[in-house]
Amino acid sequence: ESARYVRRRLQQEGLMEHIISSSGPFAQCSQYRFVVTGHSLGAGSAGILALMLKPIIPRLECLLYSPPSILNPDAARAARPFTVSLVLYKDVIPRLSIRNLQILRQNITDCIARCHQPKWRVWTKGLRGCPSTDLMSAGPGPLSETDPLLRMQHDPEQGLPTHELAALHWPPGVMLSLVPAPSGGGRMQVVLTSNAAYSEILVSKGALKHHLPDVV
């Protein structure tokens, strides 16, 4: 809806005609690139707006910082020729789709079923960044059909059943990720990643910190 609003205002104010025209008040800018950009939710709106405007403004380019997963795979691929998305390491927002939340919920439920440690130990070890394998012990094996945890996953009142995952969504365009450089020392490097790499939520201390605009 935000993208539709911006496009509508451009049309109502007559700016769209000036942007695409080689004459008028913006004539000297006719060869300039037209860049749409945004961060976080604004990046999501900018990505959709770019798809709307690209057929009208061929010189349009889109630069997104930490965009959410807003497009189906076909639309995300269609945006690659003119859209670049930059994500800082383990940023949670580009991975925060309904489908990924469902998968995370299933994984957490499975971990709860296999973890036989008291809750205080789970919390204290988790806060210290302890590997999850340290919290697991040899359990009774796969959950039985009567296990309340398994029933919870398939209870319509608790959410969608595990076999009915929501539609797959990706961040738009070409994906660039800022990751720690092998040389260390706090240095970062840019690597090209796939849109599908954001089909899983990474539980990490930096999941929210890496999304903040002053950090990006």
Side-chain angles (χ1 to χ4, degrees):
E1 189 61 34
S2 297
R4 292 193 187 98
Y5 171 79
V6 174
R7 183 181 65 172
R8 185 167 59 250
R9 285 299 302 272
L10 288 173
Q11 293 171 336
Q12 291 174 348
E13 300 293 334
L15 294 175
M16 190 76 75
E17 295 179 2
H18 292 316
I19 292 170
I20 62 179
S21 175
S22 58
S23 60
F26 297 152
Q28 70 274 20
C29 304
S30 60
Q31 301 303 315
Y32 288 10
R33 294 178 299 165
F34 186 85
V35 180
V36 179
T37 188
H39 171 263
S40 191
L41 183 59
S45 298
I48 296 174
L49 179 65
L51 283 171
M52 292 179 173
L53 297 183
K54 182 63 176 179
I56 306 172
I57 310 174
R59 66 180 190 277
L60 179 144
E61 296 179 10
C62 185
L63 179 60
L64 306 178
Y65 297 92
S66 309
S69 293
I70 54 171
L71 301 178
N72 62 44
D74 289 339
R77 294 188 191 99
R80 285 177 182 170
F82 56 90
T83 301
V84 175
S85 293
L86 182 67
V87 176
L88 177 59
Y89 201 22
K90 296 183 179 180
D91 187 347
V92 68
I93 298 302
R95 301 173 169 90
L96 202 61
S97 66
I98 295 176
R99 181 187 182 94
N100 289 353
L101 285 171
Q102 289 175 294
I103 294 172
L104 177 63
R105 177 191 178 188
Q106 294 174 19
N107 292 339
I108 291 174
T109 303
D110 178 64
C111 286
I112 293 173
R114 293 189 292 116
C115 180
H116 300 280
Q117 303 289 342
K119 291 181 180 178
W120 67 266
R121 184 171 296 170
V122 173
W123 275 105
T124 54
K125 284 183 174 288
L127 290 174
R128 294 201 308 266
C130 175
S132 59
T133 51
D134 292 354
L135 298 173
M136 301 301 171
S137 59
L143 298 178
S144 67
E145 294 183 359
T146 58
D147 192 290
L149 285 173
L150 190 60
R151 289 205 309 272
M152 182 186 73
Q153 293 188 58
H154 290 272
D155 185 353
E157 295 183 358
Q158 299 288 340
L160 291 174
T162 53
H163 61 278
E164 294 183 8
L165 293 175
L168 179 63
H169 287 88
W170 289 345
V174 175
M175 301 302 304
L176 299 179
S177 179
L178 276 169
V179 301
S183 57
R187 296 181 178 86
M188 306 293 286
Q189 67 179 14
V190 178
V191 297
L192 180 66
T193 59
S194 68
N195 303 77
Y198 299 88
S199 299
E200 179 184 21
I201 295 175
L202 302 180
V203 179
S204 165
K205 292 180 179 179
L208 289 176
K209 178 182 177 181
H210 292 167
H211 184 71
L212 300 178
D214 59 323
V215 177
V216 176

